[in-house]
Amino acid sequence: PRASIHERKAVVSTQSTWGANVRGAEEKFGEKHKVWFEKIREASRPNIMDLMLGQVKGGGILSSTFDALKTIWGHGDLRNYLYVDYRKHTPMSELTRYWVYEDVREYVKPYEKRAYASNKTNLRTNGWPEYAARRLDMIINGDDKSIDVISQIQPFGGKNSMYRLGGKPELNNGCHSWRDEFTMLFILDVFYQPEDEDDRYDRKVRRVLQYQTENDASCQKGGIFCDEDRRFMFGSFAKQSDPDCGSSLDAVHEHYYDSEEKYQRLVAIKRAVDPNYVFTANLFGIDSINAPKNRQIKIIGRGHGLHGDEEVKTTHYPRPTLELSFGQSTWSYGWSLLAAGAGILTVALVYSSVSRARRTSD
């Protein structure tokens, strides 16, 4: 029978990677490894996508058409995963290119990031799902369609989660903090179309900052998502209330590391292995506050540091009208007068020439 258009179809995407390389150059991809890929393909038949990709990269008219389209789009020199085949050896020196997204970035808008971490175990019942849906709906169905939101929600499992079990402090598995306590990750990235190059007068950036500042209340004492401000290093972000606009890791390290003792151990390691701070790119690095001045580079998000928490919510500064006062000497003003004078002179000369010609003809 014909399927209803309202029926949901399940799609399973399987990605397989052979990543064993414990013997360096001697490591070879052999028949026993190939079997695993073949089994996955056999289990997923009919594999329509495999057939399509095989046609696109297999030569002939489809391959030529695909290459022609890439040229028309201005990306003819780009390669992508269509050219990677487990049946054909690809050197690691070339394969690493496929781990970098070479195409033009889809979201070219600036964005304000948040990545909240929770240790609560009652998120299902404390109203957080409704809260999260409501906050997302404010952007998705909001009145400004130039503002977009991307959200990722990642559960970390329960008492048997390997993420949590592997993060027990006594195992000393690494510097990542609170692994044995995390229950949920909530990412909110809000993209927007700038309205003004000057952050002070850009109403879009102010609106986005207001939205994220309101979301920040969910991760503080009494917050619905977490009672503490805990952050992931991979999803670092800055709040309006952060010192140094969140640009200095030393100033906000308590949000990324669970103890001062751990952070100071990392500082000691940093000073031992990199005493000259060669690998310090900016202020958002361990012990960067003690790096040479040319390494203490502040990376500050749009609109940050211009206003306080409350001011960003309520205040809007319109761009002032620029009025030229008498006696003000500027190059632009001088050139404007010169252009106006030249225009008037040109009209006068043309009028004089036409009048003289008419008198002569008479």
Side-chain angles (χ1 to χ4, degrees), residues 2 23 28 38 49 57-59 85 102 126 137 158 223 253 260 267 285 296 307 333 338:
R2 178 180 296 179
R23 292 183 296 177
K28 301 295 181 182
E38 298 294 351
M49 184 60 69
K57 69 182 180 64
D85 193 323
E102 291 185 320
N126 76 341
D137 188 69
H253 67 268
E260 185 66 24
V267 169
Q296 296 185 25
H307 313 284
Y333 185 48
L338 183 61

Side-chain angles (χ1 to χ4, degrees), residues 126 132 163 211 216 225 242 335:
N126 76 341
Y163 181 89
Y211 174 79
D216 291 339
F225 191 64
D242 284 345
W335 280 111

Side-chain angles (χ1 to χ4, degrees), residues 29 42 84 93 95 129 135 142 184 196 207 212 245 256 262 274 277 279 286 326 328:
F29 181 85
E42 185 64 33
V84 177
S93 57
L95 191 60
R135 296 300 298 175
M184 190 76 73
D196 198 301
R207 182 171 182 174
Q212 293 289 40
C245 304
Y256 295 93
K262 174 183 289 185
D274 187 19
Y277 299 88
F279 296 100
I286 293 173
F326 289 104
Q328 183 177 359

Side-chain angles (χ1 to χ4, degrees), residues 14 32 81 133 236 311 356:
T14 304
K32 65 177 182 180
Y81 68 93
S236 58
E311 198 174 1
R356 189 180 302 109

Side-chain angles (χ1 to χ4, degrees), residues 202-217:
D202 192 336
R203 290 177 296 180
K204 294 294 180 68
V205 71
R206 297 181 65 81
R207 182 171 182 174
V208 170
L209 285 173
Q210 174 184 343
Y211 174 79
Q212 293 289 40
T213 299
E214 293 170 356
N215 292 331
D216 291 339

Side-chain angles (χ1 to χ4, degrees), residues 162 167 197 307 345:
M162 290 307 300
E197 292 183 359
H307 313 284
L345 180 60

Side-chain angles (χ1 to χ4, degrees), residues 64-299:
S64 300
T65 302
F66 185 74
D67 290 339
L69 288 174
K70 288 176 66 176
T71 302
I72 293 173
W73 293 332
H75 308 305
D77 59 331
L78 298 181
R79 294 166 63 84
N80 52 42
Y81 68 93
L82 298 179
Y83 297 89
V84 177
D85 193 323
Y86 71 96
R87 291 163 294 193
K88 180 181 178 181
H89 174 67
T90 303
M92 183 61 69
S93 57
E94 180 181 344
L95 191 60
T96 51
R97 290 187 60 193
Y98 300 104
W99 299 335
V100 179
Y101 190 68
E102 291 185 320
D103 289 338
V104 175
R105 186 167 177 241
E106 180 180 359
Y107 291 101
V108 296
K109 300 177 180 178
Y111 69 100
E112 183 69 17
K113 186 175 189 62
R114 291 296 187 272
Y116 302 117
S118 178
N119 62 348
K120 290 195 173 187
T121 57
N122 65 337
L123 292 176
R124 184 173 63 88
T125 58
N126 76 341
W128 176 75
E130 293 80 6
Y131 166 85
R134 187 170 63 253
R135 296 300 298 175
L136 289 169
D137 188 69
M138 290 180 65
I139 301 296
I140 296 172
N141 292 315
D143 60 330
D144 192 334
K145 299 306 179 184
S146 69
I147 300 178
D148 306 292
V149 62
I150 293 180
S151 177
Q152 300 175 55
I153 300 175
Q154 175 65 57
F156 284 97
K159 63 181 181 180
N160 295 319
S161 165
M162 290 307 300
Y163 181 89
R164 301 186 70 183
L165 292 176
K168 291 183 178 180
E170 60 269 21
L171 297 178
N172 293 317
N173 279 345
C175 65
H176 300 290
S177 299
W178 302 295
R179 275 186 55 174
D180 58 332
E181 298 180 17
F182 278 145
T183 57
M184 190 76 73
L185 165 68
F186 184 29
I187 292 179
L188 276 173
D189 294 342
V190 183
F191 293 76
Y192 61 94
Q193 187 64 49
E195 199 172 63
D196 198 301
E197 292 183 359
D198 193 323
D199 297 357
R200 295 172 297 174
Y201 312 118
D202 192 336
R203 290 177 296 180
K204 294 294 180 68
V205 71
R206 297 181 65 81
R207 182 171 182 174
V208 170
L209 285 173
Q210 174 184 343
Y211 174 79
Q212 293 289 40
T213 299
E214 293 170 356
N215 292 331
D216 291 339
S218 67
C219 287
Q220 61 186 24
K221 187 175 181 180
I224 193 171
F225 191 64
C226 190
D227 288 316
E228 298 179 33
D229 181 1
R230 296 181 175 182
R231 311 179 193 179
F232 286 94
M233 185 59 68
F234 83 89
S236 58
F237 63 90
K239 291 183 177 180
Q240 288 292 102
S241 56
D242 284 345
D244 294 324
C245 304
S247 64
S248 172
L249 179 59
D250 288 279
V252 294
H253 67 268
E254 68 275 8
H255 301 307
Y256 295 93
Y257 299 97
D258 53 19
S259 71
E260 185 66 24
E261 184 269 339
K262 174 183 289 185
Y263 186 71
Q264 292 306 323
R265 285 174 59 196
L266 292 171
V267 169
I269 294 172
K270 170 70 174 179
R271 293 176 179 176
V273 302
D274 187 19
N276 296 319
Y277 299 88
V278 173
F279 296 100
T280 296
N282 50 64
L283 268 177
F284 201 80
I286 293 173
D287 199 36
S288 57
I289 197 67
N290 291 309
K293 291 298 181 182
N294 65 342
R295 298 284 183 174
Q296 296 185 25
I297 301 172
K298 287 187 176 182
I299 299 179

